[in-house]
Amino acid sequence: MVDPNISDWLRSQQQSSRKHRIKVTIIGIVILAVVIGSVTYLSKNSNNYSHSGKNGNNTEYYTWDKKPVNLTIIPNSLYKKIFYGINYGPVNASYPWCSNTLGDVIEDVKMISQLTNRIRLYGMDCNMADYTMEAIVKLKLNMTIVPTIWVDDNDTTYQRQSDSLFNLIKKYGEDKIDGISVGNEGTFIFRKDIPTKTLYDRISDVRTKINSMGFNKKMPVFTSDLGSNVDDAFIAAVDIVWANVHPFFGGINVNTSASWTFKFFDEFVVTPAKAVNKDAIISEVGWPTAGASQGSAVPTVSNLQTFLNTFICSSNSKGLKYYFFETFDTPWKTAKWTTLEGSWGLFHPNRTMKHPIILPDCVL
Ligand SMILES: *[C@@H]1O[C@H](CO)[C@@H](O)[C@H](O)[C@H]1NC(C)=O
Ligand SMILES: *[C@@H]1O[C@H](CO)[C@@H](O)[C@H](O)[C@H]1NC(C)=O
Ligand SMILES: *[C@@H]1O[C@H](CO)[C@@H](O)[C@H](O)[C@H]1NC(C)=O
Ligand SMILES: *[C@@H]1O[C@H](CO)[C@@H](O)[C@H](O)[C@H]1NC(C)=O
Ligand SMILES: *[C@@H]1O[C@H](CO)[C@@H](O)[C@H](O)[C@H]1NC(C)=O
Ligand SMILES: *[C@@H]1O[C@H](CO)[C@@H](O)[C@H](O)[C@H]1NC(C)=O
Ligand SMILES: CC(=O)N[C@H]1CO[C@H](CO)[C@@H](O)[C@@H]1O
């Protein structure tokens, strides 16, 4: 999308593709992954709370713009707990601008807790996993997270991210962790830099360390990748098959996007996973509200509403497990890449829901 040739590429893919599979996700996801990857790559993890916004007497928290944070959750009638899970990238948490505070994350989690009980994170940078866990504890919520160790072709990055993850687990225990993701879209994005085998070896390395910690529950270790990259080797490497499925990047008309997603996920992810008795989860699915169209997919708030209306309740009644993409718009991605990249949020960065979105009434 940064490259104007990409839409030509997409069109040619659409004309020539045998099935819908190729159309999926690839483009925007590459960019997202590169952005996330580079941010995480650059990031350093200071494990102290010196930038947390905590004041001298440790009783109050502040947001980045110095607003005091109250730990009481006031229910907002616009919010409904209807999402299986949600992807969360804290605002202001992009290195080297780690100006996110624990106070901000508390405010975010107060809001997210009214939408879902499950949060997936993209890396260990800017204390994002520690703050999220601390917020859940401080707010006494029954919520869980999936932290991600970012993986690129640099062993130092992996070591640092991995150390942060194990520090997190040592500090908070395993109860509030649903599983551990080792990278996102690594087999696709880093295929040219590191052998896929390196990623699979790292998953195995993390699993070995996890197993040696003697938890009471089985802690799944996996990576997530484009649904079209799920093959036998991928399935063999993971405990649960996590796949990103984006009808938007498939160029699908929003009116058929939910049914397309169900069909695609079932055919390319669930069926091969089931064949070896593994569970499957959609790690990213959503609809953008601004930026360039892709084929028949148009990014508008009204189309996000249609996607929510057609996908969420139906998924819940099917028992489909999915993490909605994503909580907030990301102005830093817009600045660095395109409006489209930065416009997948259900919320604006100031924590107001996009207008006039009305969340559907569903049973979770
Ligand atoms: C310490 O906490 C109290 C509330 O318990 C607050 O009134 C006071 O301003 C805080 N002190 C500082 C230095 O922020
Ligand atoms: C937090 O908000 C609640 C509800 O509005 C209020 O009762 C409580 O006093 C507030 N706490 C602080 C420390 O301001
Ligand atoms: C917390 O949530 C889990 C599953 O989401 C549920 O099994 C458990 O009973 C809940 N615990 C409490 C204390 O509500
Ligand atoms: C790997 O990352 C570290 C910092 O995290 C950096 O110092 C080092 O130069 C990087 N190595 C390569 C080969 O890029
Ligand atoms: C989706 O269907 C509605 C109602 O049939 C129609 O008004 C709308 O134009 C369609 N949207 C697209 C993008 O085709
Ligand atoms: C939040 O941000 C959006 C988008 O910039 C804006 O339209 C809205 O007015 C803001 N709301 C508040 C309460 O600041
Ligand atoms: C210090 C800093 O980066 N603040 C930014 C945090 O995020 C808000 C909302 O996007 C921006 O307005 C601030 O500039």
Side-chain angles (χ1 to χ4, degrees), residues 117-118 141-144:
N117 286 328
R118 299 181 185 85
L141 292 166
N142 188 17
M143 292 180 75
T144 49

PDB file of all heavy atoms in Angstrom, residues 117-118 141-144, ligand 3:
ATOM      1  N   ASN A 117     -12.593 -10.562  27.616  1.00  0.00           N
ATOM      2  CA  ASN A 117     -11.724 -10.979  28.727  1.00  0.00           C
ATOM      3  C   ASN A 117     -10.325 -11.334  28.266  1.00  0.00           C
ATOM      4  O   ASN A 117      -9.497 -11.749  29.064  1.00  0.00           O
ATOM      5  CB  ASN A 117     -12.324 -12.221  29.415  1.00  0.00           C
ATOM      6  CG  ASN A 117     -13.533 -11.857  30.244  1.00  0.00           C
ATOM      7  OD1 ASN A 117     -13.609 -10.762  30.799  1.00  0.00           O
ATOM      8  ND2 ASN A 117     -14.491 -12.767  30.321  1.00  0.00           N
ATOM      9  N   ARG A 118     -10.083 -11.218  26.941  1.00  0.00           N
ATOM     10  CA  ARG A 118      -8.790 -11.690  26.418  1.00  0.00           C
ATOM     11  C   ARG A 118      -8.089 -10.633  25.577  1.00  0.00           C
ATOM     12  O   ARG A 118      -8.697 -10.065  24.669  1.00  0.00           O
ATOM     13  CB  ARG A 118      -8.993 -12.928  25.544  1.00  0.00           C
ATOM     14  CG  ARG A 118      -9.599 -14.118  26.283  1.00  0.00           C
ATOM     15  CD  ARG A 118      -9.746 -15.303  25.343  1.00  0.00           C
ATOM     16  NE  ARG A 118     -10.438 -16.414  25.986  1.00  0.00           N
ATOM     17  CZ  ARG A 118     -11.756 -16.525  26.044  1.00  0.00           C
ATOM     18  NH1 ARG A 118     -12.534 -15.612  25.487  1.00  0.00           N
ATOM     19  NH2 ARG A 118     -12.304 -17.552  26.654  1.00  0.00           N
ATOM     20  N   LEU A 141      -9.319  -7.782  37.722  1.00  0.00           N
ATOM     21  CA  LEU A 141     -10.137  -8.317  36.640  1.00  0.00           C
ATOM     22  C   LEU A 141      -9.806  -9.771  36.364  1.00  0.00           C
ATOM     23  O   LEU A 141      -8.661 -10.192  36.526  1.00  0.00           O
ATOM     24  CB  LEU A 141      -9.886  -7.494  35.365  1.00  0.00           C
ATOM     25  CG  LEU A 141     -10.391  -6.059  35.415  1.00  0.00           C
ATOM     26  CD1 LEU A 141      -9.789  -5.244  34.273  1.00  0.00           C
ATOM     27  CD2 LEU A 141     -11.911  -6.022  35.344  1.00  0.00           C
ATOM     28  N   ASN A 142     -10.801 -10.502  35.930  1.00  0.00           N
ATOM     29  CA  ASN A 142     -10.589 -11.889  35.526  1.00  0.00           C
ATOM     30  C   ASN A 142     -10.296 -11.898  34.019  1.00  0.00           C
ATOM     31  O   ASN A 142     -11.116 -12.320  33.222  1.00  0.00           O
ATOM     32  CB  ASN A 142     -11.839 -12.715  35.856  1.00  0.00           C
ATOM     33  CG  ASN A 142     -11.628 -14.193  35.636  1.00  0.00           C
ATOM     34  OD1 ASN A 142     -10.492 -14.670  35.543  1.00  0.00           O
ATOM     35  ND2 ASN A 142     -12.724 -14.942  35.536  1.00  0.00           N
ATOM     36  N   MET A 143      -9.124 -11.382  33.665  1.00  0.00           N
ATOM     37  CA  MET A 143      -8.764 -11.300  32.252  1.00  0.00           C
ATOM     38  C   MET A 143      -7.448 -12.023  32.008  1.00  0.00           C
ATOM     39  O   MET A 143      -6.659 -12.213  32.927  1.00  0.00           O
ATOM     40  CB  MET A 143      -8.611  -9.839  31.822  1.00  0.00           C
ATOM     41  CG  MET A 143      -9.910  -9.078  31.807  1.00  0.00           C
ATOM     42  SD  MET A 143      -9.651  -7.368  31.303  1.00  0.00           S
ATOM     43  CE  MET A 143      -9.384  -7.562  29.533  1.00  0.00           C
ATOM     44  N   THR A 144      -7.238 -12.386  30.747  1.00  0.00           N
ATOM     45  CA  THR A 144      -6.000 -13.089  30.393  1.00  0.00           C
ATOM     46  C   THR A 144      -5.342 -12.417  29.192  1.00  0.00           C
ATOM     47  O   THR A 144      -6.004 -11.709  28.430  1.00  0.00           O
ATOM     48  CB  THR A 144      -6.301 -14.557  30.034  1.00  0.00           C
ATOM     49  OG1 THR A 144      -7.377 -14.598  29.101  1.00  0.00           O
ATOM     50  CG2 THR A 144      -6.666 -15.363  31.272  1.00  0.00           C
TER      51      THR A 144
HETATM   52  C1  LIG B   3     -12.498 -16.343  35.315  1.00  0.00           C
HETATM   53  O1  LIG B   3     -12.756 -16.666  33.966  1.00  0.00           O
HETATM   54  C2  LIG B   3     -12.641 -18.037  33.684  1.00  0.00           C
HETATM   55  C3  LIG B   3     -12.814 -18.268  32.201  1.00  0.00           C
HETATM   56  O2  LIG B   3     -12.954 -17.111  31.472  1.00  0.00           O
HETATM   57  C4  LIG B   3     -13.679 -18.805  34.466  1.00  0.00           C
HETATM   58  O3  LIG B   3     -13.532 -20.169  34.200  1.00  0.00           O
HETATM   59  C5  LIG B   3     -13.480 -18.541  35.943  1.00  0.00           C
HETATM   60  O4  LIG B   3     -14.507 -19.153  36.660  1.00  0.00           O
HETATM   61  C6  LIG B   3     -13.489 -17.051  36.225  1.00  0.00           C
HETATM   62  N1  LIG B   3     -13.115 -16.823  37.603  1.00  0.00           N
HETATM   63  C7  LIG B   3     -13.785 -16.004  38.397  1.00  0.00           C
HETATM   64  C8  LIG B   3     -13.266 -15.852  39.769  1.00  0.00           C
HETATM   65  O5  LIG B   3     -14.762 -15.386  37.997  1.00  0.00           O
END
